[in-house]
Amino acid sequence: VEGPDLIGKTTVVNLLVEKLRKKYSVEKTQLPSELITGVLTKIIRNSKDHIPPEVVALIYAADHLYHYERVIKNNKKIIV
């Protein structure tokens, strides 16, 4: 689920996961991830240093790729 901050994305996802878990095996995930690449993303996002946007984009892309490889690729559960 994509959208700006504070519009209820987490609430909608939690309700969806609750409904799906009644019938399916579901894993809730998010980006930036809780993996080391996601932690780095959060550090960069909160940095007071000027980080070129290209660097920020590459760090986000790395987190998406690593998250896919570690969490999603071979997962048999429904991913929300």
Side-chain angles (χ1 to χ4, degrees):
V1 175
E2 300 263 349
D5 291 344
L6 303 172
I7 63 164
K9 296 182 302 286
T10 300
T11 301
V12 169
V13 168
N14 288 339
L15 290 169
L16 177 62
V17 168
E18 183 180 318
K19 292 259 188 204
L20 288 171
R21 281 193 173 142
K22 292 178 182 177
K23 292 187 178 185
Y24 305 101
S25 180
V26 176
E27 182 170 340
K28 180 180 160 191
T29 185
Q30 65 184 32
L31 289 168
S33 72
E34 297 300 319
L35 303 168
I36 188 65
T37 49
V39 172
L40 180 58
T41 300
K42 292 171 191 169
I43 291 169
I44 294 298
R45 184 175 58 196
N46 294 319
S47 173
K48 300 211 184 313
D49 293 339
H50 172 72
I51 312 245
E54 298 86 357
V55 172
V56 175
L58 287 171
I59 292 169
Y60 270 82
D63 185 41
H64 280 69
L65 177 60
Y66 193 55
H67 179 260
Y68 172 78
E69 291 290 330
R70 291 286 309 272
V71 177
I72 296 173
K73 187 175 181 179
N74 296 315
N75 200 322
K76 305 296 184 219
K77 296 179 180 180
I78 295 174
I79 305 291
V80 178

